[in-house]
């Protein structure tokens, strides 16, 4: 089961990173849309992939995660087929809405299936597979664009998602039924908020995902202020993906068997690494920026080794999906905050740079301290993965 999830994840992430990062450039260069329309498309797609995480998690718990996974892949395949059919704003808005909801369902279903193992290595394998696609997709897309065929990426992505959807339908013809029956949908949906340990964990996850999002949200703006070009930004992101591919599974295996307090300590280290990385960005030397990106990558690896396993271990039987849904929502808040704060602060001024990186470092240091306190709160709930 886990191998199937990982293999389809390589294919689907390759299709995703082959297409989504290029959407705006292709539409603008073709003269088919305005910058405002492109911005709206990306915003809608991002919101759809995150906003409905809790109800989709409930659906996984009540309908079976395998069915949600298959439905998600079918929706994504449909979205890419619509993208391929014609380049117009209304059609692409429909396509990205469908694709975003499908991506959320596919990710949620996959993670609930992986939750059966409740091991860091299982989730790390998911992110390793994701980063294989993140590394290869942009390279292939750049080659096709340079060859004068940028829209070919849509057709390739559509084929990849159709193939993955067919494979999932075949693989999950028979699915397990949820073993735990609940009488109240609202009680199940609101129960995680009454779990103080989990609610505190979700709050602490927001700044942690803020740090995780800096490579996407802040690096391009910081690079521009330093006079760096696309090549440097692309190289840093490619090396980040390569590091996750090479080290992610190993880090996951090393943390298998950790208790909940130990995993909280791992996330404290993750926040601290990112905090030091942000502090280094205050300096103007090139070595400080590259060292900071290495530290952010280290924090990302630590996050992948513990974040979702904690949510799985805190969740009672039959509620894994909704617990992961709340955690995904917390991630969305952190990612959105990173984008908004970076856009408002990294305006090229020295004061803006100092304010952004200093604030980010302080927030992440406070987050690390929060995880130390969380270790004490969840110590009575120790469970070995």
């Amino acid at each position: 089961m886990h191998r199937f999830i990982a293999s389809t994840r390589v294919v689907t992430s390759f299709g995703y990173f082959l297409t989504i990062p290029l959407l705006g450039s292709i539409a603008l260069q073709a003269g088919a849309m305005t910058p405002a329309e492109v911005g709206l498309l990306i915003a809608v797609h991002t919101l759809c992939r995150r906003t409905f995480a809790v109800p989709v998690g409930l659906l996984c718990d009540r309908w079976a995660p395998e069915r949600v996974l298959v439905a998600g892949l079918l929706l994504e395949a449909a979205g890419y087929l619509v993208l391929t059919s014609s380049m117009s704003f209304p059609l692409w808005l429909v396509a990205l809405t469908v694709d975003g909801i499908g991506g959320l369902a596919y990710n949620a279903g996959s993670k609930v299936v992986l939750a059966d193992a409740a091991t860091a290595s299982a989730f790390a394998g998911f992110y390793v597979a994701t980063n294989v696609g993140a590394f290869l997709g942009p390279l292939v897309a750049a080659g096709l664009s340079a060859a004068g065929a940028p829209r070919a990426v849509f057709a390739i992505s559509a084929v990849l998602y159709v193939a993955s959807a067919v494979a999932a339908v075949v693989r999950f013809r028979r699915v397990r039924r949820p073993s735990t029956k609940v009488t109240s949908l609202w009680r199940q949906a609101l129960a995680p908020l009454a779990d103080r340990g989990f609610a505190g964990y979700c709050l602490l996850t927001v700044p942690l995902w803020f740090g995780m999002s800096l490579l996407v949200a802040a690096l391009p703006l910081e690079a521009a202020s330093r006079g760096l070009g696309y090549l440097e930004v692309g190289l840093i992101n490619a090396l980040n993906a390569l590091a996750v591919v090479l080290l992610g599974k190993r880090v996951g295996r090393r943390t298998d068997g950790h208790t909940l307090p130990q995993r909280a300590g791992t996330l404290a280290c993750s926040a601290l690494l990112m905090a030091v990385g942000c502090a280094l960005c205050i300096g103007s030397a090139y070595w400080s920026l590259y060292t900071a990106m290495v530290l952010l990558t280290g924090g990302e690896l630590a996050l992948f080794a513990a974040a979702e396993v904690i949510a799985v271990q805190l969740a009672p039987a039959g509620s894994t999906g909704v617990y992961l849904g709340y955690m995904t929502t917390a991630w969305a808040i952190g990612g959105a905050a990173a984008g908004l704060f970076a856009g408002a602060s990294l305006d090229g001024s020295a004061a803006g740079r100092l304010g952004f990186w200093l604030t980010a470092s302080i927030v992440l240091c406070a987050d690390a301290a929060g995880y130390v306190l969380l270790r004490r709160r969840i110590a009575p709930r120790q469970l070995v993965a």
Side-chain angles (χ1 to χ4, degrees):
M1 184 77 75
H2 298 154
R3 290 180 180 177
F4 177 81
I5 296 294
S7 61
T8 56
R9 186 63 178 178
V10 170
V11 175
T12 56
S13 66
F14 176 70
Y16 176 91
F17 286 101
L18 187 67
T19 293
I20 298 301
L22 283 179
L23 277 175
S25 296
I26 293 173
L28 291 174
Q29 290 187 25
M33 297 175 206
T34 66
E37 288 174 331
V38 169
L40 179 58
L41 287 175
I42 300 302
V44 167
H45 187 252
T46 301
L47 287 173
C48 288
R49 288 181 73 89
R50 297 286 187 186
T51 304
F52 306 106
V54 173
V56 170
L58 281 169
L59 193 61
C60 288
D61 291 332
R62 287 176 169 259
W63 191 41
E66 295 89 348
R67 291 181 178 137
V68 176
L69 185 158
V70 170
L73 279 174
L74 290 171
L75 285 173
E76 287 196 273
Y80 280 97
L81 287 172
V82 174
L83 280 179
T84 307
S85 64
S86 176
M87 188 184 297
S88 71
F89 175 73
L91 276 177
W92 276 27
L93 183 61
V94 172
L96 290 177
T97 300
V98 171
D99 181 79
I101 295 173
L104 172 60
Y106 167 59
N107 289 337
S110 297
K111 290 179 180 180
V112 177
V113 170
L114 292 175
D116 280 346
T119 61
S121 58
F123 284 103
F126 182 82
Y127 288 109
V128 167
T130 300
N131 279 275
V132 170
F135 179 71
L136 296 176
L139 297 178
V140 175
L144 288 170
S145 298
R151 291 185 62 186
V153 300
F154 301 153
I156 295 172
S157 294
V159 170
L160 292 175
Y161 272 86
V162 168
S164 298
V166 170
V169 169
V170 173
R171 178 64 179 82
F172 296 122
R173 284 178 297 178
R174 296 180 180 179
V175 300
R176 57 187 174 165
R177 294 185 177 275
S179 58
T180 303
K181 300 294 184 181
V182 291
T183 56
S184 171
L185 181 66
W186 287 108
R187 182 178 298 175
Q188 186 181 12
L190 298 177
L193 298 178
D195 184 337
R196 291 186 178 181
F198 179 72
Y201 170 64
C202 281
L203 289 175
L204 291 172
T205 300
V206 172
L208 201 60
W209 201 257
F210 172 94
M212 257 286 301
S213 302
L214 293 178
L215 275 168
V216 174
L219 175 60
L221 299 173
E222 176 66 18
S225 70
R226 292 172 180 257
L228 302 178
Y230 294 116
L231 178 61
E232 288 86 353
V233 175
L235 180 61
I236 289 173
N237 278 281
L239 291 176
N240 169 266
L242 186 61
V244 175
V245 171
L246 295 178
L247 301 176
K249 196 73 173 179
R250 182 176 300 179
V251 172
R253 289 196 186 102
R254 288 183 66 88
T255 58
D256 279 344
H258 280 192
T259 61
L260 280 172
Q262 287 174 318
R263 296 193 192 283
T266 299
L267 293 183
C269 292
S270 172
L272 192 59
L273 283 171
M274 293 182 186
V276 175
C278 290
L280 284 175
C281 285
I282 295 173
S284 58
Y286 287 128
W287 69 263
S288 65
L289 176 64
Y290 294 120
T291 304
M293 294 305 108
V294 170
L295 291 173
L296 288 175
T297 299
E300 179 180 350
L301 286 167
L303 184 151
F304 289 159
E308 279 148 331
V309 183
I310 289 180
V312 169
Q313 290 183 308
L314 289 174
S319 294
T320 302
V322 69
Y323 268 65
L324 286 173
Y326 274 104
M327 192 188 69
T328 299
T329 301
W331 286 8
I333 295 170
L340 293 173
F341 188 32
S345 302
L346 295 176
D347 54 1
S349 67
R353 285 189 62 251
L354 176 62
F356 178 83
W357 292 114
L358 183 60
T359 301
S361 182
I362 292 172
V363 168
L364 286 163
C365 280
D367 198 45
Y371 275 110
V372 173
L373 295 176
L374 181 68
R375 290 185 62 180
R376 300 175 184 175
R377 176 172 290 277
I378 63 178
R381 299 170 66 167
Q382 289 187 47
L383 291 172
V384 177

